[in-house]
Short mmCIF file of all heavy atoms in Angstrom, two decimals:
data_model
loop_
_atom_site.label_atom_id
_atom_site.label_comp_id
_atom_site.label_asym_id
_atom_site.label_seq_id
_atom_site.Cartn_x
_atom_site.Cartn_y
_atom_site.Cartn_z
N MET A 1 -2.40 -14.48 12.52
CA MET A 1 -2.46 -14.05 11.13
C MET A 1 -2.61 -12.53 11.10
O MET A 1 -3.27 -11.95 11.93
CB MET A 1 -3.66 -14.69 10.42
CG MET A 1 -3.68 -16.20 10.47
SD MET A 1 -2.34 -16.92 9.56
CE MET A 1 -3.11 -17.31 8.04
N ALA A 2 -1.95 -11.91 10.10
CA ALA A 2 -2.02 -10.46 9.96
C ALA A 2 -1.99 -10.11 8.48
O ALA A 2 -1.49 -10.88 7.66
CB ALA A 2 -0.83 -9.81 10.66
N ASP A 3 -2.57 -8.96 8.18
CA ASP A 3 -2.55 -8.48 6.80
C ASP A 3 -1.29 -7.67 6.55
O ASP A 3 -0.82 -6.92 7.41
CB ASP A 3 -3.77 -7.61 6.51
CG ASP A 3 -5.04 -8.42 6.36
OD1 ASP A 3 -4.94 -9.62 6.07
OD2 ASP A 3 -6.12 -7.85 6.55
N GLN A 4 -0.76 -7.85 5.36
CA GLN A 4 0.44 -7.11 4.97
C GLN A 4 0.21 -6.58 3.55
O GLN A 4 -0.31 -7.29 2.69
CB GLN A 4 1.62 -8.07 4.97
CG GLN A 4 2.94 -7.42 5.34
CD GLN A 4 4.02 -8.46 5.55
OE1 GLN A 4 4.28 -9.25 4.65
NE2 GLN A 4 4.64 -8.46 6.71
N LEU A 5 0.62 -5.34 3.33
CA LEU A 5 0.53 -4.78 1.98
C LEU A 5 1.65 -5.34 1.12
O LEU A 5 2.77 -5.54 1.59
CB LEU A 5 0.68 -3.26 2.03
CG LEU A 5 -0.55 -2.42 2.29
CD1 LEU A 5 -0.14 -0.96 2.39
CD2 LEU A 5 -1.60 -2.61 1.22
N HIS A 6 1.33 -5.57 -0.13
CA HIS A 6 2.36 -5.99 -1.09
C HIS A 6 2.28 -5.04 -2.28
O HIS A 6 1.20 -4.77 -2.80
CB HIS A 6 2.13 -7.42 -1.55
CG HIS A 6 3.07 -7.83 -2.64
ND1 HIS A 6 4.39 -8.13 -2.41
CD2 HIS A 6 2.88 -7.94 -3.97
CE1 HIS A 6 4.97 -8.43 -3.56
NE2 HIS A 6 4.08 -8.33 -4.51
N ILE A 7 3.43 -4.51 -2.68
CA ILE A 7 3.47 -3.62 -3.84
C ILE A 7 4.22 -4.31 -4.97
O ILE A 7 5.36 -4.75 -4.79
CB ILE A 7 4.19 -2.29 -3.49
CG1 ILE A 7 3.47 -1.59 -2.33
CG2 ILE A 7 4.24 -1.37 -4.72
CD1 ILE A 7 4.26 -0.44 -1.72
N ASP A 8 3.55 -4.46 -6.09
CA ASP A 8 4.18 -5.02 -7.29
C ASP A 8 4.90 -3.88 -8.00
O ASP A 8 4.30 -3.08 -8.70
CB ASP A 8 3.11 -5.65 -8.19
CG ASP A 8 3.70 -6.22 -9.47
OD1 ASP A 8 4.90 -6.00 -9.74
OD2 ASP A 8 2.94 -6.86 -10.21
N TRP A 9 6.20 -3.82 -7.80
CA TRP A 9 6.97 -2.67 -8.33
C TRP A 9 7.04 -2.68 -9.85
O TRP A 9 7.28 -1.64 -10.46
CB TRP A 9 8.38 -2.68 -7.74
CG TRP A 9 8.36 -2.47 -6.26
CD1 TRP A 9 8.66 -3.38 -5.29
CD2 TRP A 9 7.98 -1.28 -5.56
NE1 TRP A 9 8.49 -2.83 -4.05
CE2 TRP A 9 8.08 -1.55 -4.18
CE3 TRP A 9 7.56 -0.01 -5.98
CZ2 TRP A 9 7.77 -0.59 -3.21
CZ3 TRP A 9 7.26 0.94 -5.01
CH2 TRP A 9 7.37 0.64 -3.65
N THR A 10 6.82 -3.82 -10.46
CA THR A 10 6.84 -3.84 -11.93
C THR A 10 5.57 -3.24 -12.51
O THR A 10 5.56 -2.80 -13.66
CB THR A 10 7.00 -5.28 -12.48
OG1 THR A 10 5.87 -6.06 -12.09
CG2 THR A 10 8.27 -5.92 -11.94
N ALA A 11 4.49 -3.22 -11.71
CA ALA A 11 3.22 -2.67 -12.19
C ALA A 11 2.99 -1.24 -11.72
O ALA A 11 2.34 -0.45 -12.41
CB ALA A 11 2.07 -3.55 -11.71
N CYS A 12 3.52 -0.88 -10.56
CA CYS A 12 3.30 0.45 -9.99
C CYS A 12 3.86 1.53 -10.90
O CYS A 12 4.96 1.42 -11.42
CB CYS A 12 3.95 0.54 -8.61
SG CYS A 12 3.83 2.16 -7.85
N ARG A 13 3.05 2.58 -11.09
CA ARG A 13 3.49 3.71 -11.90
C ARG A 13 3.61 5.00 -11.10
O ARG A 13 3.75 6.09 -11.65
CB ARG A 13 2.55 3.93 -13.09
CG ARG A 13 2.66 2.85 -14.15
CD ARG A 13 4.05 2.84 -14.78
NE ARG A 13 4.20 1.78 -15.76
CZ ARG A 13 4.67 0.56 -15.50
NH1 ARG A 13 5.02 0.26 -14.27
NH2 ARG A 13 4.78 -0.34 -16.43
N GLY A 14 3.51 4.85 -9.78
CA GLY A 14 3.81 5.99 -8.91
C GLY A 14 2.83 7.14 -9.00
O GLY A 14 3.25 8.29 -8.95
N ARG A 15 1.55 6.82 -9.09
CA ARG A 15 0.55 7.90 -9.10
C ARG A 15 0.19 8.37 -7.69
O ARG A 15 -0.41 9.42 -7.54
CB ARG A 15 -0.71 7.47 -9.86
CG ARG A 15 -0.43 7.12 -11.31
CD ARG A 15 0.04 8.36 -12.05
NE ARG A 15 0.49 8.04 -13.39
CZ ARG A 15 -0.27 8.03 -14.45
NH1 ARG A 15 -1.54 8.31 -14.33
NH2 ARG A 15 0.23 7.75 -15.62
N GLY A 16 0.47 7.53 -6.71
CA GLY A 16 0.31 7.97 -5.34
C GLY A 16 -1.09 7.90 -4.75
O GLY A 16 -1.31 8.41 -3.66
N VAL A 17 -2.03 7.27 -5.46
CA VAL A 17 -3.38 7.14 -4.90
C VAL A 17 -3.32 6.42 -3.56
O VAL A 17 -3.99 6.80 -2.60
CB VAL A 17 -4.30 6.35 -5.87
CG1 VAL A 17 -5.65 6.08 -5.24
CG2 VAL A 17 -4.44 7.12 -7.17
N CYS A 18 -2.50 5.39 -3.47
CA CYS A 18 -2.42 4.58 -2.25
C CYS A 18 -1.97 5.44 -1.06
O CYS A 18 -2.53 5.31 0.03
CB CYS A 18 -1.48 3.41 -2.46
SG CYS A 18 0.14 3.85 -3.10
N SER A 19 -1.01 6.29 -1.26
CA SER A 19 -0.53 7.08 -0.13
C SER A 19 -1.55 8.12 0.32
O SER A 19 -1.53 8.55 1.46
CB SER A 19 0.80 7.76 -0.48
OG SER A 19 0.59 8.75 -1.45
N GLU A 20 -2.45 8.49 -0.59
CA GLU A 20 -3.52 9.42 -0.19
C GLU A 20 -4.56 8.70 0.65
O GLU A 20 -5.18 9.30 1.53
CB GLU A 20 -4.19 10.02 -1.43
CG GLU A 20 -3.27 10.96 -2.18
CD GLU A 20 -3.93 11.51 -3.44
OE1 GLU A 20 -5.16 11.40 -3.57
OE2 GLU A 20 -3.19 12.02 -4.29
N LEU A 21 -4.76 7.40 0.38
CA LEU A 21 -5.80 6.65 1.08
C LEU A 21 -5.30 6.05 2.39
O LEU A 21 -6.09 5.83 3.30
CB LEU A 21 -6.36 5.55 0.17
CG LEU A 21 -7.12 6.08 -1.04
CD1 LEU A 21 -7.51 4.96 -1.97
CD2 LEU A 21 -8.36 6.84 -0.59
N ILE A 22 -4.02 5.75 2.47
CA ILE A 22 -3.47 5.20 3.73
C ILE A 22 -2.14 5.92 4.06
O ILE A 22 -1.07 5.31 4.08
CB ILE A 22 -3.27 3.67 3.68
CG1 ILE A 22 -2.74 3.22 2.31
CG2 ILE A 22 -4.51 2.93 4.09
CD1 ILE A 22 -2.42 1.74 2.22
N PRO A 23 -2.26 7.23 4.34
CA PRO A 23 -1.05 8.00 4.66
C PRO A 23 -0.37 7.53 5.93
O PRO A 23 0.81 7.79 6.13
CB PRO A 23 -1.57 9.44 4.79
CG PRO A 23 -3.01 9.29 5.14
CD PRO A 23 -3.47 8.05 4.41
N GLU A 24 -1.13 6.80 6.78
CA GLU A 24 -0.52 6.28 8.01
C GLU A 24 0.52 5.21 7.68
O GLU A 24 1.44 4.96 8.45
CB GLU A 24 -1.59 5.65 8.91
CG GLU A 24 -2.68 6.61 9.36
CD GLU A 24 -3.85 6.67 8.38
OE1 GLU A 24 -3.71 6.20 7.23
OE2 GLU A 24 -4.89 7.19 8.78
N LEU A 25 0.35 4.54 6.52
CA LEU A 25 1.25 3.44 6.15
C LEU A 25 2.22 3.81 5.04
O LEU A 25 3.33 3.27 4.98
CB LEU A 25 0.42 2.22 5.69
CG LEU A 25 -0.50 1.58 6.73
CD1 LEU A 25 -1.27 0.44 6.10
CD2 LEU A 25 0.31 1.09 7.91
N LEU A 26 1.79 4.68 4.14
CA LEU A 26 2.62 4.96 2.96
C LEU A 26 2.88 6.44 2.78
O LEU A 26 1.96 7.27 2.84
CB LEU A 26 1.92 4.42 1.69
CG LEU A 26 1.69 2.92 1.61
CD1 LEU A 26 0.87 2.60 0.36
CD2 LEU A 26 3.01 2.16 1.60
N ASP A 27 4.12 6.76 2.54
CA ASP A 27 4.52 8.10 2.13
C ASP A 27 4.86 8.00 0.65
O ASP A 27 4.72 6.93 0.04
CB ASP A 27 5.75 8.50 2.95
CG ASP A 27 5.99 10.00 2.93
OD1 ASP A 27 5.23 10.72 2.25
OD2 ASP A 27 6.95 10.44 3.59
N LEU A 28 5.30 9.07 0.04
CA LEU A 28 5.76 9.02 -1.35
C LEU A 28 7.23 9.38 -1.41
O LEU A 28 7.67 10.29 -0.70
CB LEU A 28 4.98 10.01 -2.22
CG LEU A 28 3.52 9.69 -2.49
CD1 LEU A 28 2.93 10.78 -3.39
CD2 LEU A 28 3.36 8.33 -3.15
N ASP A 29 7.97 8.70 -2.29
CA ASP A 29 9.35 9.12 -2.46
C ASP A 29 9.38 10.30 -3.44
O ASP A 29 8.33 10.78 -3.90
CB ASP A 29 10.23 7.95 -2.90
CG ASP A 29 9.95 7.47 -4.32
OD1 ASP A 29 9.23 8.17 -5.07
OD2 ASP A 29 10.45 6.40 -4.67
N GLU A 30 10.55 10.77 -3.75
CA GLU A 30 10.65 11.99 -4.57
C GLU A 30 10.15 11.81 -6.00
O GLU A 30 9.91 12.79 -6.70
CB GLU A 30 12.09 12.50 -4.57
CG GLU A 30 13.08 11.50 -5.12
CD GLU A 30 14.52 11.97 -4.95
OE1 GLU A 30 14.90 12.96 -5.61
OE2 GLU A 30 15.25 11.35 -4.17
N TRP A 31 9.97 10.55 -6.43
CA TRP A 31 9.45 10.29 -7.77
C TRP A 31 7.96 9.95 -7.75
O TRP A 31 7.39 9.62 -8.77
CB TRP A 31 10.24 9.17 -8.44
CG TRP A 31 11.68 9.51 -8.63
CD1 TRP A 31 12.20 10.31 -9.61
CD2 TRP A 31 12.77 9.10 -7.81
NE1 TRP A 31 13.56 10.42 -9.44
CE2 TRP A 31 13.94 9.70 -8.35
CE3 TRP A 31 12.87 8.31 -6.67
CZ2 TRP A 31 15.20 9.50 -7.78
CZ3 TRP A 31 14.12 8.13 -6.10
CH2 TRP A 31 15.25 8.71 -6.66
N GLY A 32 7.36 9.95 -6.57
CA GLY A 32 5.93 9.66 -6.45
C GLY A 32 5.60 8.21 -6.21
O GLY A 32 4.43 7.83 -6.27
N TYR A 33 6.60 7.40 -5.92
CA TYR A 33 6.35 5.99 -5.63
C TYR A 33 6.12 5.80 -4.14
O TYR A 33 6.70 6.52 -3.32
CB TYR A 33 7.53 5.12 -6.10
CG TYR A 33 7.58 4.96 -7.59
CD1 TYR A 33 8.21 5.91 -8.39
CD2 TYR A 33 6.97 3.87 -8.19
CE1 TYR A 33 8.23 5.77 -9.76
CE2 TYR A 33 7.00 3.72 -9.57
CZ TYR A 33 7.63 4.68 -10.36
OH TYR A 33 7.64 4.54 -11.71
N PRO A 34 5.26 4.84 -3.80
CA PRO A 34 4.94 4.65 -2.38
C PRO A 34 6.15 4.17 -1.57
O PRO A 34 6.92 3.33 -2.04
CB PRO A 34 3.83 3.58 -2.41
CG PRO A 34 3.97 2.90 -3.72
CD PRO A 34 4.54 3.90 -4.66
N LEU A 35 6.24 4.74 -0.41
CA LEU A 35 7.36 4.45 0.49
C LEU A 35 6.77 4.04 1.83
O LEU A 35 6.12 4.86 2.49
CB LEU A 35 8.20 5.72 0.62
CG LEU A 35 9.58 5.65 1.21
CD1 LEU A 35 10.49 4.78 0.35
CD2 LEU A 35 10.16 7.06 1.33
N PRO A 36 6.94 2.78 2.22
CA PRO A 36 6.39 2.36 3.53
C PRO A 36 6.98 3.20 4.65
O PRO A 36 8.18 3.44 4.70
CB PRO A 36 6.83 0.90 3.64
CG PRO A 36 7.10 0.46 2.24
CD PRO A 36 7.61 1.69 1.52
N ARG A 37 6.11 3.64 5.56
CA ARG A 37 6.58 4.46 6.68
C ARG A 37 7.29 3.60 7.72
O ARG A 37 8.30 4.02 8.27
CB ARG A 37 5.40 5.18 7.33
CG ARG A 37 4.84 6.29 6.47
CD ARG A 37 3.80 7.09 7.23
NE ARG A 37 3.21 8.11 6.40
CZ ARG A 37 3.74 9.31 6.18
NH1 ARG A 37 4.90 9.62 6.73
NH2 ARG A 37 3.14 10.18 5.41
N ALA A 38 6.73 2.43 8.00
CA ALA A 38 7.35 1.57 9.02
C ALA A 38 6.94 0.12 8.75
O ALA A 38 6.20 -0.47 9.52
CB ALA A 38 6.92 2.01 10.41
N GLY A 39 7.39 -0.43 7.65
CA GLY A 39 6.98 -1.79 7.32
C GLY A 39 5.64 -1.79 6.62
O GLY A 39 5.00 -0.75 6.45
N LEU A 40 5.19 -2.97 6.22
CA LEU A 40 3.96 -3.07 5.45
C LEU A 40 2.85 -3.82 6.19
O LEU A 40 1.84 -4.18 5.59
CB LEU A 40 4.26 -3.74 4.10
CG LEU A 40 5.11 -2.86 3.16
CD1 LEU A 40 5.55 -3.64 1.94
CD2 LEU A 40 4.35 -1.61 2.75
N ASP A 41 3.07 -4.07 7.49
CA ASP A 41 2.00 -4.68 8.27
C ASP A 41 0.84 -3.70 8.39
O ASP A 41 1.05 -2.50 8.59
CB ASP A 41 2.50 -5.04 9.67
CG ASP A 41 3.49 -6.19 9.65
OD1 ASP A 41 3.57 -6.88 8.61
OD2 ASP A 41 4.20 -6.37 10.66
N VAL A 42 -0.36 -4.21 8.25
CA VAL A 42 -1.55 -3.37 8.30
C VAL A 42 -2.25 -3.55 9.65
O VAL A 42 -2.79 -4.62 9.93
CB VAL A 42 -2.53 -3.73 7.17
CG1 VAL A 42 -3.79 -2.87 7.24
CG2 VAL A 42 -1.85 -3.57 5.81
N PRO A 43 -2.23 -2.52 10.49
CA PRO A 43 -2.95 -2.62 11.76
C PRO A 43 -4.44 -2.85 11.50
O PRO A 43 -4.99 -2.36 10.51
CB PRO A 43 -2.72 -1.25 12.42
CG PRO A 43 -1.54 -0.68 11.72
CD PRO A 43 -1.56 -1.23 10.34
N ARG A 44 -5.07 -3.61 12.39
CA ARG A 44 -6.48 -3.96 12.22
C ARG A 44 -7.36 -2.74 11.92
O ARG A 44 -8.23 -2.78 11.06
CB ARG A 44 -6.98 -4.67 13.47
CG ARG A 44 -8.34 -5.31 13.33
CD ARG A 44 -8.73 -5.99 14.63
NE ARG A 44 -7.77 -7.00 15.02
CZ ARG A 44 -7.88 -8.30 14.72
NH1 ARG A 44 -8.90 -8.71 14.04
NH2 ARG A 44 -6.96 -9.15 15.11
N GLU A 45 -7.11 -1.64 12.62
CA GLU A 45 -7.97 -0.46 12.45
C GLU A 45 -7.80 0.19 11.08
O GLU A 45 -8.65 0.97 10.66
CB GLU A 45 -7.74 0.56 13.58
CG GLU A 45 -6.37 1.22 13.57
CD GLU A 45 -5.33 0.43 14.36
OE1 GLU A 45 -5.56 -0.77 14.65
OE2 GLU A 45 -4.28 1.01 14.68
N LEU A 46 -6.70 -0.10 10.39
CA LEU A 46 -6.48 0.49 9.06
C LEU A 46 -6.85 -0.47 7.93
O LEU A 46 -6.76 -0.11 6.76
CB LEU A 46 -5.02 0.91 8.91
CG LEU A 46 -4.57 2.08 9.78
CD1 LEU A 46 -3.09 2.36 9.56
CD2 LEU A 46 -5.40 3.32 9.51
N ALA A 47 -7.30 -1.67 8.28
CA ALA A 47 -7.59 -2.67 7.25
C ALA A 47 -8.64 -2.19 6.24
O ALA A 47 -8.45 -2.38 5.03
CB ALA A 47 -8.02 -3.99 7.91
N PRO A 48 -9.73 -1.54 6.67
CA PRO A 48 -10.71 -1.07 5.68
C PRO A 48 -10.09 -0.06 4.70
O PRO A 48 -10.38 -0.08 3.50
CB PRO A 48 -11.81 -0.42 6.52
CG PRO A 48 -11.68 -1.06 7.87
CD PRO A 48 -10.21 -1.32 8.05
N HIS A 49 -9.23 0.82 5.20
CA HIS A 49 -8.58 1.81 4.33
C HIS A 49 -7.60 1.12 3.38
O HIS A 49 -7.49 1.51 2.21
CB HIS A 49 -7.85 2.84 5.19
CG HIS A 49 -8.75 3.58 6.12
ND1 HIS A 49 -9.67 4.51 5.69
CD2 HIS A 49 -8.89 3.50 7.46
CE1 HIS A 49 -10.34 4.97 6.73
NE2 HIS A 49 -9.88 4.38 7.81
N ALA A 50 -6.91 0.12 3.88
CA ALA A 50 -5.97 -0.61 3.04
C ALA A 50 -6.71 -1.35 1.92
O ALA A 50 -6.26 -1.35 0.76
CB ALA A 50 -5.16 -1.59 3.88
N ARG A 51 -7.86 -1.95 2.26
CA ARG A 51 -8.64 -2.65 1.23
C ARG A 51 -9.14 -1.66 0.17
O ARG A 51 -9.17 -1.96 -1.02
CB ARG A 51 -9.82 -3.38 1.87
CG ARG A 51 -9.41 -4.66 2.58
CD ARG A 51 -10.60 -5.53 2.90
NE ARG A 51 -11.45 -4.95 3.92
CZ ARG A 51 -11.27 -5.13 5.22
NH1 ARG A 51 -10.30 -5.90 5.66
NH2 ARG A 51 -12.07 -4.57 6.09
N ARG A 52 -9.49 -0.45 0.60
CA ARG A 52 -9.94 0.57 -0.34
C ARG A 52 -8.79 0.99 -1.25
O ARG A 52 -8.97 1.17 -2.46
CB ARG A 52 -10.48 1.78 0.45
CG ARG A 52 -11.30 2.70 -0.38
CD ARG A 52 -12.08 3.66 0.51
NE ARG A 52 -12.15 4.95 -0.15
CZ ARG A 52 -11.81 6.10 0.41
NH1 ARG A 52 -11.40 6.12 1.64
NH2 ARG A 52 -11.89 7.21 -0.26
N ALA A 53 -7.60 1.14 -0.70
CA ALA A 53 -6.44 1.50 -1.52
C ALA A 53 -6.14 0.40 -2.54
O ALA A 53 -5.84 0.70 -3.70
CB ALA A 53 -5.23 1.73 -0.61
N VAL A 54 -6.25 -0.84 -2.12
CA VAL A 54 -6.03 -1.96 -3.05
C VAL A 54 -7.04 -1.90 -4.19
O VAL A 54 -6.70 -2.04 -5.37
CB VAL A 54 -6.13 -3.32 -2.30
CG1 VAL A 54 -6.23 -4.47 -3.27
CG2 VAL A 54 -4.93 -3.49 -1.37
N ALA A 55 -8.30 -1.66 -3.84
CA ALA A 55 -9.36 -1.64 -4.85
C ALA A 55 -9.20 -0.47 -5.82
O ALA A 55 -9.61 -0.57 -6.98
CB ALA A 55 -10.73 -1.57 -4.17
N GLN A 56 -8.60 0.63 -5.36
CA GLN A 56 -8.52 1.82 -6.21
C GLN A 56 -7.18 2.00 -6.91
O GLN A 56 -7.02 2.95 -7.68
CB GLN A 56 -8.85 3.05 -5.36
CG GLN A 56 -10.29 3.01 -4.89
CD GLN A 56 -10.80 4.33 -4.40
OE1 GLN A 56 -10.18 5.37 -4.59
NE2 GLN A 56 -11.95 4.30 -3.76
N CYS A 57 -6.25 1.12 -6.67
CA CYS A 57 -4.97 1.24 -7.38
C CYS A 57 -5.22 1.06 -8.88
O CYS A 57 -5.69 0.00 -9.30
CB CYS A 57 -3.98 0.18 -6.89
SG CYS A 57 -2.47 0.14 -7.88
N PRO A 58 -4.91 2.05 -9.67
CA PRO A 58 -5.23 1.98 -11.11
C PRO A 58 -4.38 0.96 -11.87
O PRO A 58 -4.72 0.61 -12.99
CB PRO A 58 -4.94 3.41 -11.60
CG PRO A 58 -3.96 3.95 -10.63
CD PRO A 58 -4.28 3.33 -9.31
N ARG A 59 -3.31 0.50 -11.27
CA ARG A 59 -2.42 -0.46 -11.94
C ARG A 59 -2.52 -1.86 -11.36
O ARG A 59 -1.74 -2.73 -11.72
CB ARG A 59 -0.98 0.04 -11.84
CG ARG A 59 -0.75 1.40 -12.46
CD ARG A 59 -0.71 1.34 -13.94
NE ARG A 59 0.31 0.40 -14.36
CZ ARG A 59 0.55 0.06 -15.61
NH1 ARG A 59 -0.18 0.58 -16.57
NH2 ARG A 59 1.50 -0.80 -15.89
N LEU A 60 -3.44 -2.07 -10.43
CA LEU A 60 -3.57 -3.37 -9.74
C LEU A 60 -2.21 -3.80 -9.15
O LEU A 60 -1.88 -4.98 -9.13
CB LEU A 60 -4.11 -4.45 -10.68
CG LEU A 60 -5.43 -4.13 -11.37
CD1 LEU A 60 -5.82 -5.27 -12.31
CD2 LEU A 60 -6.54 -3.85 -10.38
N ALA A 61 -1.47 -2.81 -8.70
CA ALA A 61 -0.13 -3.07 -8.19
C ALA A 61 -0.11 -3.31 -6.69
O ALA A 61 0.91 -3.70 -6.14
CB ALA A 61 0.79 -1.89 -8.52
N LEU A 62 -1.23 -3.06 -6.06
CA LEU A 62 -1.29 -3.15 -4.61
C LEU A 62 -2.17 -4.34 -4.23
O LEU A 62 -3.26 -4.53 -4.79
CB LEU A 62 -1.90 -1.84 -4.08
CG LEU A 62 -1.61 -1.40 -2.66
CD1 LEU A 62 -0.11 -1.23 -2.43
CD2 LEU A 62 -2.33 -0.09 -2.37
N SER A 63 -1.71 -5.12 -3.27
CA SER A 63 -2.53 -6.24 -2.80
C SER A 63 -2.31 -6.42 -1.31
O SER A 63 -1.36 -5.89 -0.73
CB SER A 63 -2.18 -7.53 -3.56
OG SER A 63 -0.82 -7.87 -3.35
N LEU A 64 -3.23 -7.16 -0.71
CA LEU A 64 -3.12 -7.51 0.70
C LEU A 64 -2.85 -8.99 0.80
O LEU A 64 -3.52 -9.80 0.13
CB LEU A 64 -4.43 -7.18 1.43
CG LEU A 64 -4.61 -5.77 1.94
CD1 LEU A 64 -6.00 -5.59 2.51
CD2 LEU A 64 -3.57 -5.43 3.01
N GLN A 65 -1.89 -9.36 1.61
CA GLN A 65 -1.58 -10.76 1.80
C GLN A 65 -1.71 -11.07 3.29
O GLN A 65 -1.31 -10.26 4.13
CB GLN A 65 -0.16 -11.06 1.32
CG GLN A 65 0.01 -10.79 -0.17
CD GLN A 65 1.43 -11.02 -0.66
OE1 GLN A 65 2.34 -11.17 0.13
NE2 GLN A 65 1.60 -11.05 -1.96
N THR A 66 -2.25 -12.22 3.57
CA THR A 66 -2.36 -12.65 4.95
C THR A 66 -1.14 -13.48 5.29
O THR A 66 -0.81 -14.43 4.59
CB THR A 66 -3.64 -13.48 5.16
OG1 THR A 66 -4.76 -12.68 4.77
CG2 THR A 66 -3.80 -13.88 6.61
N VAL A 67 -0.44 -13.06 6.33
CA VAL A 67 0.79 -13.75 6.71
C VAL A 67 0.66 -14.28 8.13
O VAL A 67 -0.07 -13.74 8.95
CB VAL A 67 2.02 -12.81 6.62
CG1 VAL A 67 2.24 -12.36 5.20
CG2 VAL A 67 1.85 -11.60 7.52
N ALA A 68 1.36 -15.36 8.37
CA ALA A 68 1.35 -15.94 9.72
C ALA A 68 2.19 -15.08 10.65
O ALA A 68 3.23 -14.55 10.24
CB ALA A 68 1.89 -17.35 9.67
N THR A 69 1.72 -14.91 11.86
CA THR A 69 2.51 -14.18 12.85
C THR A 69 3.02 -15.16 13.89
O THR A 69 2.39 -16.18 14.15
CB THR A 69 1.66 -13.09 13.53
OG1 THR A 69 0.50 -13.70 14.08
CG2 THR A 69 1.27 -12.02 12.55
N SER A 70 4.16 -14.86 14.44
CA SER A 70 4.74 -15.79 15.42
C SER A 70 4.30 -15.44 16.81
O SER A 70 3.81 -14.41 17.11
CB SER A 70 6.25 -15.75 15.33
OG SER A 70 6.73 -14.43 15.43
S1 LIG B 101 -1.91 3.49 -6.28
FE1 LIG B 101 -0.93 1.70 -7.23
S2 LIG B 101 0.13 2.49 -9.06
FE2 LIG B 101 -0.35 4.23 -7.72
S3 LIG B 101 1.49 4.52 -6.49
FE3 LIG B 101 0.11 3.19 -5.31
S4 LIG B 101 0.71 1.09 -5.84
FE4 LIG B 101 1.61 2.46 -7.38
#
């Protein structure tokens, strides 16, 4: 099992708080929307930062999902 970030694009307004909190995972595109750097899998060591980004997203557009790994 692994954590994966999920971005609800219908809710996201591109304020970029998430990319400030987990720059290792998210960059910003030219309009300020989060851009995954290399997929949305969350390495174990970044899980606390990812949970903080989820909690601080002002649009509740960011969530963590647990996915099965093969
Ligand atoms: S913090 Fe939330 S609303 Fe802001 S860019 Fe990230 S996902 Fe979108």
Side-chain angles (χ1 to χ4, degrees):
M1 304 294 262
D3 285 338
Q4 212 171 57
L5 274 176
H6 174 75
I7 302 167
D8 178 352
W9 295 110
T10 63
C12 176
R13 289 296 178 268
R15 300 295 172 90
V17 174
C18 52
S19 68
E20 292 178 15
L21 293 174
I22 39 175
E24 300 88 345
L25 297 178
L26 297 175
D27 198 358
L28 290 181
D29 69 12
E30 60 187 292
W31 298 281
Y33 286 85
L35 194 63
R37 289 187 182 277
L40 291 172
D41 291 345
V42 179
R44 190 179 302 266
E45 67 272 17
L46 292 178
H49 300 289
R51 284 195 291 272
R52 196 165 144 232
V54 167
Q56 295 196 12
C57 173
R59 301 284 304 176
L60 305 178
L62 204 58
S63 61
L64 274 175
Q65 299 178 347
T66 302
V67 297
T69 55
S70 53

